[in-house]
Amino acid sequence: MSASHETRHAQAGPWVIDTREIGQRAGASRSYQRNASAPAGFGLDMIKVPEGEPVVLDLLAESVVEGVLVSGTASARLAGDCVRCLEPISEEIEVEVRELFAYPDSATDASTDDDEVERVVDDLIDLEPVVRDAMLLSLPTAPVCSPDCQGLCSGCGVKWAELAPEHTHETIDPRWAALQERFGGSEEEK
């Protein structure tokens, strides 16, 4: 076993499955329904699963020849900010999880690099990295409160949805500003 496997040693808790409950007999399986608290860093800058928020795991662990195949769903509540108008966002996410955890000294363990496949370490499986990766890949990189959100007015910073349709800000090209000062007024006023 490599040094990186030892540093990722799983501790007991809701994110960890003890494979001794399943056994190493191919075809044996067990269902798991758990709530695990989201750790820090379970998301992106603009949207994430808040730290401590429950992540609902509904999984099936199946013993196969090379290891344990874990499949099922993970769901949680997301919190973040709309990238257009900065309003708070709260929504639910559910992701599919399907990952093979290789037994030590199996052909899969011997033929793959450390980062290619997850491993069973001391008969334990740590689900947290697998669920976190699945959720991160499903999160929108630019979350919006609604698909038709118009964002904020760049002139005054007020939400476009709260402004009148004729709302505008007169902007003068700085190259013409000196002429306006000298002769006064704008073209529309003359």
Side-chain angles (χ1 to χ4, degrees), residues 13-18 21 30 32-36 55-59 127:
W15 289 106
V16 177
I17 292 176
D18 189 340
E21 298 170 352
R30 180 163 180 212
Y32 295 89
Q33 287 79 32
R34 297 181 176 180
N35 288 342
V55 178
V56 179
L57 305 172
D58 186 9
L59 304 169
L127 299 168

Side-chain angles (χ1 to χ4, degrees), residues 59-76:
L59 304 169
L60 177 66
E62 302 173 86
S63 181
V64 295
V65 174
E66 292 297 312
V68 177
L69 178 64
V70 176
S71 57
T73 61
S75 58

Side-chain angles (χ1 to χ4, degrees), residues 48-126:
K48 62 185 165 195
V49 178
E51 185 174 355
E53 185 71 26
V55 178
V56 179
L57 305 172
D58 186 9
L59 304 169
L60 177 66
E62 302 173 86
S63 181
V64 295
V65 174
E66 292 297 312
V68 177
L69 178 64
V70 176
S71 57
T73 61
S75 58
R77 185 186 61 81
L78 297 173
D81 298 312
C82 176
V83 296
R84 294 181 187 161
C85 69
L86 303 177
E87 285 293 314
I89 297 174
S90 181
E91 58 187 52
E92 297 291 320
I93 184 173
E94 181 175 287
V95 296
E96 294 287 325
V97 176
R98 186 171 181 85
E99 187 75 30
L100 173 67
F101 291 82
Y103 288 132
D105 302 321
S106 67
T108 301
D109 183 50
S111 64
T112 57
D113 291 334
D114 290 344
D115 60 349
E116 286 184 297
V117 69
E118 297 293 330
R119 293 344 197 237
V120 175
V121 179
D122 295 334
D123 295 321
L124 301 175
I125 292 174
D126 186 2

